[in-house]
Amino acid sequence: MTGIADDLILFAQVATAGNFTGVARIAGLPKSTVSRRISALETALGERLLTRGARALTLTPFGEGILRLGQRMLEDATAWAVTMGRRLLPLHSRLFIDQLRDSLSPGVGPEDTAIDADS
């Protein structure tokens, strides 16, 4: 089960790409799942987001407005992931270095292998 926020982000990706196939490949989902999630989002919102043609997807006027929301959510989610990655990397690196130090050189203190979190 996915949330509406996830589906709004997925919609933004589909609208930007102009197709379900590429987004499905990148997301690691079957194309039918991506299509169903967009349809479920349309049902939840009570209005069509896309007009599905034989060869192309076209945004409806409502879809254009929702696209801006989805794009902002995607940008925020990306910024959050980058921020968290920066915060977690020094911790992960410190744990890895401490484990490596302990296994290779018992008796070497943490001050000898300290890492600068800003580098």
Side-chain angles (χ1 to χ4, degrees):
M1 184 90 168
T2 63
I4 195 165
D6 292 331
D7 290 344
L8 284 167
I9 290 171
L10 187 65
F11 164 69
Q13 293 170 319
V14 168
T16 301
N19 64 68
F20 294 112
T21 306
V23 174
R25 188 177 326 110
I26 291 168
L29 297 169
K31 179 180 159 186
S32 60
T33 299
V34 173
S35 179
R36 267 196 311 274
R37 284 179 54 186
I38 300 304
S39 292
L41 179 61
E42 290 173 324
T43 299
L45 296 174
E47 199 162 334
R48 303 287 282 161
L49 299 169
L50 299 166
T51 301
R52 293 153 176 86
R55 298 241 182 244
L57 300 173
T58 306
L59 287 171
T60 64
F62 181 71
E64 289 175 10
I66 296 298
L67 173 59
R68 288 188 285 280
L69 173 63
Q71 287 171 327
R72 283 194 306 270
M73 292 176 73
L74 180 57
E75 290 167 4
D76 289 346
T78 301
W80 180 85
V82 167
T83 299
M84 292 309 297
R86 286 186 183 146
R87 289 182 179 192
L88 296 176
L89 181 60
L91 174 62
H92 176 73
S93 299
R94 159 77 28 93
L95 293 173
F96 176 77
I97 289 171
D98 287 350
Q99 290 171 346
L100 183 62
R101 181 203 64 231
D102 292 345
S103 67
L104 296 177
S105 306
V108 175
E111 64 282 350
D112 298 323
T113 57
I115 58 172
D116 181 7
D118 294 326
S119 58

mmCIF file of all heavy atoms in Angstrom, residues 2-16 37-38 40-42 44-45 49 62-63 65-74:
data_model
loop_
_atom_site.group_PDB
_atom_site.id
_atom_site.type_symbol
_atom_site.label_atom_id
_atom_site.label_comp_id
_atom_site.label_asym_id
_atom_site.label_seq_id
_atom_site.Cartn_x
_atom_site.Cartn_y
_atom_site.Cartn_z
ATOM 1 N N THR A 2 0.584 2.160 -0.825
ATOM 2 C CA THR A 2 1.354 3.395 -0.887
ATOM 3 C C THR A 2 0.484 4.550 -0.433
ATOM 4 O O THR A 2 -0.734 4.460 -0.411
ATOM 5 C CB THR A 2 1.860 3.664 -2.310
ATOM 6 O OG1 THR A 2 0.734 3.850 -3.159
ATOM 7 C CG2 THR A 2 2.729 2.534 -2.812
ATOM 8 N N GLY A 3 1.133 5.641 -0.106
ATOM 9 C CA GLY A 3 0.406 6.813 0.317
ATOM 10 C C GLY A 3 0.195 7.771 -0.845
ATOM 11 O O GLY A 3 0.825 7.657 -1.903
ATOM 12 N N ILE A 4 -0.677 8.740 -0.610
ATOM 13 C CA ILE A 4 -0.972 9.714 -1.649
ATOM 14 C C ILE A 4 0.270 10.532 -1.981
ATOM 15 O O ILE A 4 0.480 10.893 -3.139
ATOM 16 C CB ILE A 4 -2.170 10.605 -1.259
ATOM 17 C CG1 ILE A 4 -2.685 11.346 -2.489
ATOM 18 C CG2 ILE A 4 -1.842 11.537 -0.128
ATOM 19 C CD1 ILE A 4 -4.057 11.963 -2.294
ATOM 20 N N ALA A 5 1.117 10.799 -0.994
ATOM 21 C CA ALA A 5 2.342 11.562 -1.264
ATOM 22 C C ALA A 5 3.247 10.799 -2.231
ATOM 23 O O ALA A 5 3.794 11.379 -3.172
ATOM 24 C CB ALA A 5 3.086 11.867 0.035
ATOM 25 N N ASP A 6 3.387 9.499 -2.011
ATOM 26 C CA ASP A 6 4.193 8.681 -2.917
ATOM 27 C C ASP A 6 3.619 8.711 -4.330
ATOM 28 O O ASP A 6 4.350 8.801 -5.314
ATOM 29 C CB ASP A 6 4.258 7.227 -2.439
ATOM 30 C CG ASP A 6 5.038 7.057 -1.158
ATOM 31 O OD1 ASP A 6 5.964 7.855 -0.914
ATOM 32 O OD2 ASP A 6 4.715 6.126 -0.401
ATOM 33 N N ASP A 7 2.297 8.641 -4.414
ATOM 34 C CA ASP A 7 1.656 8.632 -5.732
ATOM 35 C C ASP A 7 1.743 9.995 -6.415
ATOM 36 O O ASP A 7 1.856 10.071 -7.642
ATOM 37 C CB ASP A 7 0.211 8.158 -5.617
ATOM 38 C CG ASP A 7 0.132 6.664 -5.290
ATOM 39 O OD1 ASP A 7 1.155 5.960 -5.448
ATOM 40 O OD2 ASP A 7 -0.946 6.215 -4.880
ATOM 41 N N LEU A 8 1.712 11.078 -5.639
ATOM 42 C CA LEU A 8 1.900 12.409 -6.230
ATOM 43 C C LEU A 8 3.308 12.543 -6.812
ATOM 44 O O LEU A 8 3.488 13.114 -7.893
ATOM 45 C CB LEU A 8 1.646 13.495 -5.189
ATOM 46 C CG LEU A 8 0.179 13.761 -4.868
ATOM 47 C CD1 LEU A 8 0.064 14.610 -3.606
ATOM 48 C CD2 LEU A 8 -0.519 14.426 -6.036
ATOM 49 N N ILE A 9 4.282 12.019 -6.106
ATOM 50 C CA ILE A 9 5.662 12.050 -6.610
ATOM 51 C C ILE A 9 5.771 11.180 -7.860
ATOM 52 O O ILE A 9 6.389 11.579 -8.848
ATOM 53 C CB ILE A 9 6.645 11.617 -5.511
ATOM 54 C CG1 ILE A 9 6.714 12.698 -4.428
ATOM 55 C CG2 ILE A 9 8.031 11.332 -6.087
ATOM 56 C CD1 ILE A 9 7.478 12.303 -3.187
ATOM 57 N N LEU A 10 5.150 10.003 -7.826
ATOM 58 C CA LEU A 10 5.165 9.124 -8.997
ATOM 59 C C LEU A 10 4.485 9.813 -10.183
ATOM 60 O O LEU A 10 4.996 9.767 -11.308
ATOM 61 C CB LEU A 10 4.466 7.802 -8.671
ATOM 62 C CG LEU A 10 4.546 6.719 -9.725
ATOM 63 C CD1 LEU A 10 5.990 6.253 -9.913
ATOM 64 C CD2 LEU A 10 3.660 5.535 -9.340
ATOM 65 N N PHE A 11 3.376 10.488 -9.932
ATOM 66 C CA PHE A 11 2.695 11.227 -10.990
ATOM 67 C C PHE A 11 3.615 12.297 -11.589
ATOM 68 O O PHE A 11 3.684 12.453 -12.804
ATOM 69 C CB PHE A 11 1.400 11.872 -10.464
ATOM 70 C CG PHE A 11 0.872 12.946 -11.367
ATOM 71 C CD1 PHE A 11 0.348 12.632 -12.614
ATOM 72 C CD2 PHE A 11 0.925 14.276 -10.992
ATOM 73 C CE1 PHE A 11 -0.119 13.627 -13.464
ATOM 74 C CE2 PHE A 11 0.459 15.272 -11.830
ATOM 75 C CZ PHE A 11 -0.064 14.949 -13.072
ATOM 76 N N ALA A 12 4.325 13.028 -10.735
ATOM 77 C CA ALA A 12 5.241 14.067 -11.231
ATOM 78 C C ALA A 12 6.303 13.449 -12.134
ATOM 79 O O ALA A 12 6.662 14.021 -13.167
ATOM 80 C CB ALA A 12 5.888 14.806 -10.062
ATOM 81 N N GLN A 13 6.778 12.278 -11.767
ATOM 82 C CA GLN A 13 7.787 11.608 -12.587
ATOM 83 C C GLN A 13 7.202 11.166 -13.926
ATOM 84 O O GLN A 13 7.836 11.331 -14.969
ATOM 85 C CB GLN A 13 8.378 10.422 -11.827
ATOM 86 C CG GLN A 13 9.192 10.856 -10.617
ATOM 87 C CD GLN A 13 9.578 9.702 -9.718
ATOM 88 O OE1 GLN A 13 8.783 8.801 -9.473
ATOM 89 N NE2 GLN A 13 10.793 9.738 -9.218
ATOM 90 N N VAL A 14 5.999 10.626 -13.901
ATOM 91 C CA VAL A 14 5.338 10.190 -15.137
ATOM 92 C C VAL A 14 5.055 11.389 -16.038
ATOM 93 O O VAL A 14 5.329 11.361 -17.241
ATOM 94 C CB VAL A 14 4.028 9.417 -14.829
ATOM 95 C CG1 VAL A 14 3.186 9.229 -16.088
ATOM 96 C CG2 VAL A 14 4.348 8.068 -14.196
ATOM 97 N N ALA A 15 4.528 12.457 -15.453
ATOM 98 C CA ALA A 15 4.196 13.647 -16.249
ATOM 99 C C ALA A 15 5.449 14.254 -16.870
ATOM 100 O O ALA A 15 5.426 14.694 -18.019
ATOM 101 C CB ALA A 15 3.482 14.669 -15.374
ATOM 102 N N THR A 16 6.535 14.260 -16.126
ATOM 103 C CA THR A 16 7.789 14.819 -16.633
ATOM 104 C C THR A 16 8.366 13.939 -17.734
ATOM 105 O O THR A 16 8.831 14.434 -18.758
ATOM 106 C CB THR A 16 8.804 14.992 -15.485
ATOM 107 O OG1 THR A 16 8.231 15.867 -14.508
ATOM 108 C CG2 THR A 16 10.105 15.576 -15.974
ATOM 109 N N ARG A 37 -1.487 2.964 -10.072
ATOM 110 C CA ARG A 37 -1.307 3.951 -8.998
ATOM 111 C C ARG A 37 -1.729 5.349 -9.446
ATOM 112 O O ARG A 37 -2.332 6.099 -8.679
ATOM 113 C CB ARG A 37 0.132 3.941 -8.496
ATOM 114 C CG ARG A 37 0.397 2.719 -7.606
ATOM 115 C CD ARG A 37 1.797 2.620 -7.101
ATOM 116 N NE ARG A 37 2.250 3.824 -6.417
ATOM 117 C CZ ARG A 37 3.485 3.991 -5.991
ATOM 118 N NH1 ARG A 37 4.392 3.044 -6.176
ATOM 119 N NH2 ARG A 37 3.838 5.104 -5.383
ATOM 120 N N ILE A 38 -1.455 5.691 -10.697
ATOM 121 C CA ILE A 38 -1.886 6.995 -11.208
ATOM 122 C C ILE A 38 -3.413 7.024 -11.313
ATOM 123 O O ILE A 38 -4.056 8.010 -10.950
ATOM 124 C CB ILE A 38 -1.216 7.325 -12.556
ATOM 125 C CG1 ILE A 38 0.312 7.367 -12.420
ATOM 126 C CG2 ILE A 38 -1.765 8.633 -13.128
ATOM 127 C CD1 ILE A 38 0.863 8.304 -11.377
ATOM 128 N N ALA A 40 -5.492 5.310 -9.470
ATOM 129 C CA ALA A 40 -5.995 5.383 -8.091
ATOM 130 C C ALA A 40 -5.869 6.808 -7.546
ATOM 131 O O ALA A 40 -6.744 7.289 -6.819
ATOM 132 C CB ALA A 40 -5.243 4.399 -7.199
ATOM 133 N N LEU A 41 -4.780 7.492 -7.897
ATOM 134 C CA LEU A 41 -4.603 8.884 -7.485
ATOM 135 C C LEU A 41 -5.696 9.759 -8.099
ATOM 136 O O LEU A 41 -6.280 10.609 -7.427
ATOM 137 C CB LEU A 41 -3.209 9.388 -7.883
ATOM 138 C CG LEU A 41 -2.883 10.836 -7.542
ATOM 139 C CD1 LEU A 41 -2.933 11.084 -6.034
ATOM 140 C CD2 LEU A 41 -1.510 11.196 -8.100
ATOM 141 N N GLU A 42 -5.980 9.533 -9.379
ATOM 142 C CA GLU A 42 -7.048 10.290 -10.045
ATOM 143 C C GLU A 42 -8.386 10.052 -9.352
ATOM 144 O O GLU A 42 -9.159 10.995 -9.133
ATOM 145 C CB GLU A 42 -7.129 9.904 -11.526
ATOM 146 C CG GLU A 42 -5.950 10.395 -12.338
ATOM 147 C CD GLU A 42 -5.938 9.878 -13.767
ATOM 148 O OE1 GLU A 42 -6.344 8.718 -14.006
ATOM 149 O OE2 GLU A 42 -5.518 10.648 -14.650
ATOM 150 N N ALA A 44 -8.817 9.159 -6.185
ATOM 151 C CA ALA A 44 -8.763 9.799 -4.872
ATOM 152 C C ALA A 44 -8.963 11.309 -4.966
ATOM 153 O O ALA A 44 -9.604 11.910 -4.105
ATOM 154 C CB ALA A 44 -7.425 9.487 -4.191
ATOM 155 N N LEU A 45 -8.423 11.912 -6.020
ATOM 156 C CA LEU A 45 -8.545 13.359 -6.201
ATOM 157 C C LEU A 45 -9.856 13.757 -6.862
ATOM 158 O O LEU A 45 -10.232 14.928 -6.852
ATOM 159 C CB LEU A 45 -7.366 13.888 -7.025
ATOM 160 C CG LEU A 45 -5.993 13.743 -6.373
ATOM 161 C CD1 LEU A 45 -4.899 14.170 -7.344
ATOM 162 C CD2 LEU A 45 -5.911 14.530 -5.077
ATOM 163 N N LEU A 49 -5.961 13.419 -14.240
ATOM 164 C CA LEU A 49 -4.694 14.147 -14.279
ATOM 165 C C LEU A 49 -4.083 14.097 -15.671
ATOM 166 O O LEU A 49 -3.411 15.035 -16.088
ATOM 167 C CB LEU A 49 -3.697 13.541 -13.281
ATOM 168 C CG LEU A 49 -4.130 13.577 -11.816
ATOM 169 C CD1 LEU A 49 -3.201 12.710 -10.975
ATOM 170 C CD2 LEU A 49 -4.154 15.004 -11.321
ATOM 171 N N PHE A 62 -6.191 20.316 -14.720
ATOM 172 C CA PHE A 62 -6.078 19.933 -13.305
ATOM 173 C C PHE A 62 -4.735 19.255 -13.047
ATOM 174 O O PHE A 62 -4.067 19.526 -12.053
ATOM 175 C CB PHE A 62 -7.239 19.003 -12.930
ATOM 176 C CG PHE A 62 -7.224 18.563 -11.491
ATOM 177 C CD1 PHE A 62 -7.512 19.466 -10.475
ATOM 178 C CD2 PHE A 62 -6.943 17.247 -11.162
ATOM 179 C CE1 PHE A 62 -7.503 19.058 -9.146
ATOM 180 C CE2 PHE A 62 -6.938 16.837 -9.837
ATOM 181 C CZ PHE A 62 -7.223 17.738 -8.821
ATOM 182 N N GLY A 63 -4.328 18.391 -13.977
ATOM 183 C CA GLY A 63 -3.046 17.693 -13.852
ATOM 184 C C GLY A 63 -1.864 18.648 -13.831
ATOM 185 O O GLY A 63 -0.875 18.412 -13.127
ATOM 186 N N GLY A 65 -1.808 21.645 -12.549
ATOM 187 C CA GLY A 65 -1.726 22.199 -11.192
ATOM 188 C C GLY A 65 -1.182 21.193 -10.201
ATOM 189 O O GLY A 65 -0.339 21.521 -9.361
ATOM 190 N N ILE A 66 -1.627 19.967 -10.303
ATOM 191 C CA ILE A 66 -1.163 18.921 -9.398
ATOM 192 C C ILE A 66 0.309 18.588 -9.679
ATOM 193 O O ILE A 66 1.057 18.260 -8.765
ATOM 194 C CB ILE A 66 -2.052 17.662 -9.518
ATOM 195 C CG1 ILE A 66 -3.490 17.989 -9.063
ATOM 196 C CG2 ILE A 66 -1.489 16.496 -8.737
ATOM 197 C CD1 ILE A 66 -3.601 18.413 -7.614
ATOM 198 N N LEU A 67 0.729 18.716 -10.921
ATOM 199 C CA LEU A 67 2.131 18.463 -11.269
ATOM 200 C C LEU A 67 3.053 19.370 -10.465
ATOM 201 O O LEU A 67 4.075 18.924 -9.946
ATOM 202 C CB LEU A 67 2.365 18.656 -12.763
ATOM 203 C CG LEU A 67 3.828 18.589 -13.231
ATOM 204 C CD1 LEU A 67 4.449 17.237 -12.886
ATOM 205 C CD2 LEU A 67 3.912 18.869 -14.722
ATOM 206 N N ARG A 68 2.700 20.634 -10.352
ATOM 207 C CA ARG A 68 3.544 21.561 -9.588
ATOM 208 C C ARG A 68 3.675 21.091 -8.134
ATOM 209 O O ARG A 68 4.748 21.146 -7.553
ATOM 210 C CB ARG A 68 2.993 22.981 -9.679
ATOM 211 C CG ARG A 68 3.212 23.603 -11.053
ATOM 212 C CD ARG A 68 2.851 25.077 -11.098
ATOM 213 N NE ARG A 68 1.413 25.328 -11.107
ATOM 214 C CZ ARG A 68 0.636 25.234 -12.186
ATOM 215 N NH1 ARG A 68 1.159 24.893 -13.339
ATOM 216 N NH2 ARG A 68 -0.651 25.492 -12.110
ATOM 217 N N LEU A 69 2.591 20.623 -7.557
ATOM 218 C CA LEU A 69 2.618 20.095 -6.191
ATOM 219 C C LEU A 69 3.515 18.856 -6.114
ATOM 220 O O LEU A 69 4.356 18.740 -5.227
ATOM 221 C CB LEU A 69 1.198 19.756 -5.726
ATOM 222 C CG LEU A 69 1.072 19.042 -4.382
ATOM 223 C CD1 LEU A 69 1.591 19.930 -3.261
ATOM 224 C CD2 LEU A 69 -0.372 18.644 -4.142
ATOM 225 N N GLY A 70 3.339 17.954 -7.052
ATOM 226 C CA GLY A 70 4.151 16.737 -7.077
ATOM 227 C C GLY A 70 5.634 17.028 -7.261
ATOM 228 O O GLY A 70 6.492 16.400 -6.650
ATOM 229 N N GLN A 71 5.944 18.015 -8.106
ATOM 230 C CA GLN A 71 7.342 18.384 -8.321
ATOM 231 C C GLN A 71 7.960 18.972 -7.052
ATOM 232 O O GLN A 71 9.101 18.670 -6.711
ATOM 233 C CB GLN A 71 7.464 19.372 -9.480
ATOM 234 C CG GLN A 71 7.241 18.738 -10.823
ATOM 235 C CD GLN A 71 7.152 19.751 -11.956
ATOM 236 O OE1 GLN A 71 6.675 20.867 -11.769
ATOM 237 N NE2 GLN A 71 7.600 19.348 -13.134
ATOM 238 N N ARG A 72 7.193 19.808 -6.341
ATOM 239 C CA ARG A 72 7.704 20.363 -5.072
ATOM 240 C C ARG A 72 7.941 19.249 -4.065
ATOM 241 O O ARG A 72 8.936 19.255 -3.334
ATOM 242 C CB ARG A 72 6.733 21.398 -4.508
ATOM 243 C CG ARG A 72 6.805 22.738 -5.221
ATOM 244 C CD ARG A 72 6.107 23.838 -4.446
ATOM 245 N NE ARG A 72 4.726 23.541 -4.080
ATOM 246 C CZ ARG A 72 3.667 23.828 -4.831
ATOM 247 N NH1 ARG A 72 3.817 24.432 -5.990
ATOM 248 N NH2 ARG A 72 2.450 23.523 -4.417
ATOM 249 N N MET A 73 7.033 18.284 -4.021
ATOM 250 C CA MET A 73 7.197 17.159 -3.092
ATOM 251 C C MET A 73 8.432 16.343 -3.462
ATOM 252 O O MET A 73 9.183 15.916 -2.580
ATOM 253 C CB MET A 73 5.947 16.284 -3.102
ATOM 254 C CG MET A 73 4.744 16.988 -2.504
ATOM 255 S SD MET A 73 3.252 15.997 -2.622
ATOM 256 C CE MET A 73 3.600 14.778 -1.374
ATOM 257 N N LEU A 74 8.642 16.130 -4.750
ATOM 258 C CA LEU A 74 9.824 15.394 -5.200
ATOM 259 C C LEU A 74 11.098 16.143 -4.829
ATOM 260 O O LEU A 74 12.057 15.545 -4.342
ATOM 261 C CB LEU A 74 9.753 15.150 -6.706
ATOM 262 C CG LEU A 74 10.927 14.395 -7.334
ATOM 263 C CD1 LEU A 74 11.119 13.031 -6.680
ATOM 264 C CD2 LEU A 74 10.692 14.239 -8.832
#
